[in-house]
Amino acid sequence: MAQTITLNLKGADINALIGTVAEVTGKNFIVDPRVKGKVTVISSRPMDSAEVYEVFLSILKVHGFAAVPSGEVIKIVPDVSAKQDSIPNASDTDPGHGDEMVTRVIQVDNVASAQLVPILRPLVPQQGHLAAYPTTNVLIISDRAENVSRLVSIIRRIDKVSDSEIEVIRLEHASATEVVRVLNAISRGTQTPGKGAPGATQTLVADERTNSVLLGGDRASRLRLRAIISHLDTPLERGGNTKVIYLKYAKAADLVETLRGVGKIQGEKVKGKGASPVNIDKQLDIQADESTNALVITAPPALMRSLEAVIRQLDIRRSQVLVDAIIAEVSEQKARELGVQWAYDGVGSRGAPAGGTNFDNAGVPASAIISGIVSNTLPALSSGLILGGGSVTDGGKLKWGAVLQALAADTDTNILSTPSITTLDNEEAEIVVGQNVPFVTGSFTNTAASSAGNTVNPFQTIQREDVGITLKVKPQINEGDAIMMAIEQEISSISNSAEASDIITDKRSIKTNVLIGDGQVLVLGGLIEDRVRETEQKVPLLGDLPMLGALFRSTGTQREKRNLMVFIRPLILRDDTSTNRFTAGKYNLLRARQFELHDEKVPLMPGELMPRLPEFDKFMELPPPFEAPAGEAAPADRETGSGQDG
């Protein structure tokens, strides 16, 4: 079993540490007399010999020393002397690891190696070495293996063919938008840019979709900018960052749950690419600030870029839909009634019989009409023509009577309603135009005793209902110009019928889902009804007699025709131009109708005192409260009533 050791040292002599490492790793060390100092190491778990040696190299780096292999032994010398000693040579296949001192020769293919020296010099520590050999166009670097590998990565990104004027640099850690902002700030801050300086002749554009920087300009400028971009495109020292993203159109609170779900899925993908197995739930936090409609997101850089891309696609201007409904109802009702009623009272006249006729559709009986005339208590008569005659005794008692009743009724109805409503895509909207009518739902009488006697208190319960036109829509714009709509259309009105004991309402309702194109008209539904009802009441046998039979029967005919149709037309308002165009059409239509009404002036009221809408363009420029100019002239198109009719 391999030997393990837990290093926990506080203020220990560095030579004692070297002895411990030699014992654990089995390596031989030669210590330079200048190697002195106190070492503090804190470890929480046991380490094997390889891990102990890696930690040992890091301790030497912290204290300014380096380990230089020399045959079977390892020399411990100051950093300044290490680069002049026999440190190992590294290559692409054997780059070294950790804080091991190495020397590496890097071949540069497309850029002059001498031009890279001033760019890379700030990244090499003072005890390191960086030099260019122009003859073979190579770079020679002596430094810690980890830092040398980082420099090689930067050189590979800079050393690219730059014959074309546009280069695409894909970023791994930084945000392309932020990098471009920083470089443009540098360019603006350069007062007299020289050759190769930012701002000489360059173009910088950020492609947010691929997180890339598009770089254009002369070769020297592009070379310097590639180096700066390589320096900026480094991972953050901490595991995540926090950003505040202000939304333009979407609601912050509505996006939180969606982004959390996307963040968890993207976090699992990041794990699958070899990233350290971290808990995404602990690193990802998304909060909504409703007062500023902003999202506060804390996430690792790669995950942050994915979330920003999703937010850009969700935070877009949503189209609006103007929905015009047309409700057309044409109906006619015709009624014809003709009947004869008679009555005879022979009581007291030598035993003569008493009798008469009474038909339901002929109104009040003849006996009641004749008796009412005599006693001045005429009952309520039915509609139509009533002709009657008869005889009464001296005491006011009916002898005989006959009444002819005739009625012809015609009712024509033509109703056209055009409600309209505008709503956002995939948002429900409702418009109600009507009355709030009370309906009696119950009644009772309460009798209470008082000093003045019993008091009767009648009481009724009333429930109010909306009666009128109700339009409820929820449009969803699909790809192209197709619109899927959930529609609820209801038309209700109070009937004039007196046959019921309370108010009767006529109701026409449609509830459906339809698919319709932008600007098209679609019929939602309707009713075409033709109803004929004939009624005949007669006395058996007598009512069938020719000519005389009309005196013993009553006939009635009712005919009702109804044509009801409901149409819908949606219009997509994608931008301000289309919104203003259709709004101006509705506005001008109402304005034209208003001026037509003003032509019929009210007596004793001057026409110039009537309120008038201003022109639409002037209305758009008016500050609140939108006071119309006095004496506004009539629109030129008022006779034609131009505009978008509902």
Side-chain angles (χ1 to χ4, degrees):
M1 183 176 179
Q3 182 180 2
T4 60
I5 184 175
T6 301
L7 290 178
N8 278 304
L9 305 174
K10 183 176 181 181
D13 186 75
I14 191 171
N15 290 287
L17 174 63
I18 295 173
T20 302
V21 173
E23 181 181 352
V24 173
T25 61
K27 299 181 183 295
N28 300 319
F29 296 99
I30 298 177
V31 183
D32 188 285
R34 292 170 291 180
V35 177
K36 296 179 181 179
K38 301 295 183 180
V39 177
T40 298
V41 182
I42 300 174
S43 177
S44 61
R45 65 178 181 84
M47 296 177 288
D48 56 22
S49 59
E51 291 177 324
V52 169
Y53 188 69
E54 291 294 331
V55 174
F56 175 63
L57 294 179
S58 299
I59 295 172
L60 293 179
K61 176 184 177 181
V62 171
H63 289 80
F65 305 118
V68 180
S70 179
E72 297 296 329
V73 298
I74 299 175
K75 294 182 288 186
I76 309 299
V77 297
D79 273 339
V80 179
S81 304
K83 62 183 179 181
Q84 301 170 350
D85 213 326
S86 57
I87 59 178
N89 295 326
S91 63
D92 291 339
T93 57
D94 186 18
H97 53 276
D99 292 325
E100 179 184 4
M101 288 291 296
V102 296
T103 298
R104 189 163 180 177
V105 179
I106 304 169
Q107 180 66 50
V108 183
D109 298 323
N110 303 298
V111 182
S113 59
Q115 292 181 336
L116 295 178
V117 172
I119 297 174
L120 301 176
R121 174 65 69 185
L123 304 179
V124 180
Q126 184 178 2
Q127 63 272 15
H129 175 72
L130 172 64
Y133 185 59
T135 304
T136 57
N137 200 38
V138 297
L139 286 172
I140 303 173
I141 304 177
S142 293
D143 198 6
R144 307 286 177 175
E146 187 176 7
N147 193 41
V148 172
S149 298
R150 172 171 169 258
L151 295 175
V152 171
S153 175
I154 294 175
I155 293 171
R156 294 287 184 261
R157 301 184 65 175
I158 299 175
D159 184 26
K160 293 183 178 180
V161 178
S162 57
D163 295 334
S164 61
E165 296 183 356
I166 301 296
E167 298 181 36
V168 180
I169 303 176
R170 181 73 177 269
L171 304 183
E172 297 180 1
H173 306 286
S175 170
T177 304
E178 290 298 317
V179 170
V180 170
R181 183 185 62 81
V182 172
L183 295 178
N184 286 331
I186 295 175
S187 300
R188 290 192 298 268
T190 306
Q191 300 297 332
T192 56
K195 183 178 180 181
T201 53
Q202 72 212 21
T203 302
L204 289 168
V205 178
D207 180 24
E208 297 182 355
R209 185 179 65 85
T210 60
N211 196 40
S212 302
V213 176
L214 279 69
L215 176 62
D218 59 85
R219 181 170 181 172
S221 297
R222 295 200 308 272
L223 175 62
R224 183 173 182 83
L225 289 175
R226 284 204 307 269
I228 297 176
I229 292 173
S230 299
H231 296 339
L232 295 176
D233 188 27
T234 55
L236 297 175
E237 294 181 359
R238 52 194 173 91
N241 59 345
T242 301
K243 283 189 177 181
V244 178
I245 302 176
Y246 295 94
L247 302 181
K248 299 178 181 178
Y249 305 104
K251 190 175 180 181
D254 295 340
L255 294 184
V256 171
E257 291 301 324
T258 301
L259 294 177
R260 285 176 180 169
V262 173
K264 291 180 180 180
I265 296 175
Q266 294 296 330
E268 295 298 329
K269 293 182 179 179
V270 172
K271 289 183 182 180
K273 292 182 179 179
S276 58
V278 295
N279 191 340
I280 296 299
D281 292 335
K282 294 182 178 179
Q283 287 195 334
L284 175 64
D285 182 68
I286 303 175
Q287 300 293 334
D289 182 27
E290 298 185 9
S291 60
T292 59
N293 195 35
L295 292 170
V296 183
I297 303 178
T298 300
L303 184 55
M304 179 70 74
R305 289 195 299 270
S306 298
L307 293 177
E308 288 178 335
V310 173
I311 293 173
R312 284 193 298 271
Q313 298 180 58
L314 294 177
D315 187 26
I316 59 176
R317 179 190 176 111
R318 297 165 61 185
S319 299
Q320 300 181 99
V321 179
L322 170 63
V323 180
D324 287 333
I326 302 176
I327 307 161
E329 180 177 359
V330 179
S331 63
E332 67 173 307
Q333 296 178 352
K334 296 183 181 298
R336 300 290 185 268
E337 295 180 1
L338 179 63
V340 176
Q341 297 187 90
W342 58 269
Y344 176 76
D345 187 1
V347 177
S349 301
R350 292 173 293 180
T357 60
N358 183 18
F359 302 118
D360 293 340
N361 60 346
V364 183
S367 58
I369 295 177
I370 301 300
S371 300
I373 293 174
V374 174
S375 60
N376 292 325
T377 58
L378 189 66
L381 302 179
S382 59
S383 302
L385 175 64
I386 301 176
L387 295 175
S391 175
V392 296
T393 63
D394 294 338
K397 187 176 181 181
L398 175 68
K399 289 184 177 181
W400 65 272
V403 175
L404 170 67
Q405 293 180 311
L407 171 66
D410 295 336
T411 303
D412 295 327
T413 304
N414 185 4
I415 300 175
L416 177 64
S417 302
T418 56
S420 62
I421 190 171
T422 303
T423 181
L424 282 174
D425 178 28
N426 211 29
E427 291 289 342
E428 186 180 272
E430 180 181 9
I431 181 173
V432 178
V433 181
Q435 296 177 317
N436 194 256
V437 180
F439 293 89
V440 177
T441 58
S443 63
F444 64 90
T445 302
N446 183 20
T447 303
S450 63
S451 59
N454 294 334
T455 303
V456 178
N457 298 322
F459 184 84
Q460 289 183 331
T461 58
I462 294 177
Q463 180 178 353
R464 293 184 174 271
E465 299 289 344
D466 291 332
V467 176
I469 297 175
T470 301
L471 174 62
K472 183 184 295 184
V473 296
K474 184 177 182 181
Q476 178 181 342
I477 302 175
N478 296 337
E479 184 176 1
D481 293 333
I483 307 173
M484 182 178 294
M485 290 195 298
I487 303 174
E488 294 184 27
Q489 173 75 68
E490 180 179 314
I491 313 105
S492 57
S493 60
I494 299 176
S495 175
N496 293 324
S497 175
E499 298 177 358
S501 59
D502 204 343
I503 298 176
I504 296 178
T505 57
D506 296 328
K507 182 177 180 181
R508 303 153 186 88
S509 178
I510 293 177
K511 183 177 181 181
T512 182
N513 296 319
V514 298
L515 181 64
I516 183 174
D518 179 24
Q520 293 183 350
V521 179
L522 179 67
V523 58
L524 297 182
L527 173 66
I528 298 178
E529 184 183 41
D530 193 348
R531 180 187 301 175
V532 177
R533 184 174 63 180
E534 295 183 353
T535 303
E536 183 181 63
Q537 293 178 329
K538 62 183 178 180
V539 177
L541 299 177
L542 296 178
D544 297 329
L545 295 175
M547 303 297 291
L548 295 178
L551 300 176
F552 299 96
R553 66 173 177 261
S554 175
T555 60
T557 302
Q558 292 183 350
R559 181 177 181 180
E560 181 178 354
K561 286 187 176 182
R562 179 176 299 165
N563 299 312
L564 171 65
M565 289 292 168
V566 179
F567 302 87
I568 201 81
R569 182 185 68 169
L571 298 169
I572 301 177
L573 309 179
R574 299 187 183 277
D575 49 32
D576 293 336
T577 302
S578 59
T579 301
N580 289 337
R581 183 172 71 253
F582 288 108
T583 302
K586 296 284 187 182
Y587 185 90
N588 291 333
L589 175 65
L590 180 60
R591 188 167 181 264
R593 298 292 183 267
Q594 188 181 60
F595 276 97
E596 290 178 2
L597 180 62
H598 288 171
D599 288 342
E600 302 176 1
K601 297 182 176 60
V602 180
L604 304 179
M605 181 179 293
E608 59 270 11
L609 296 181
M610 297 183 180
R612 299 180 180 180
L613 290 173
E615 295 181 1
F616 184 75
D617 293 339
K618 294 181 179 179
F619 175 72
M620 294 286 289
E621 299 174 357
L622 289 176
F626 308 125
E627 296 179 355
E632 181 69 29
D637 57 355
R638 81 181 216 199
E639 293 184 359
T640 59
S642 66
Q644 300 292 331
D645 197 350

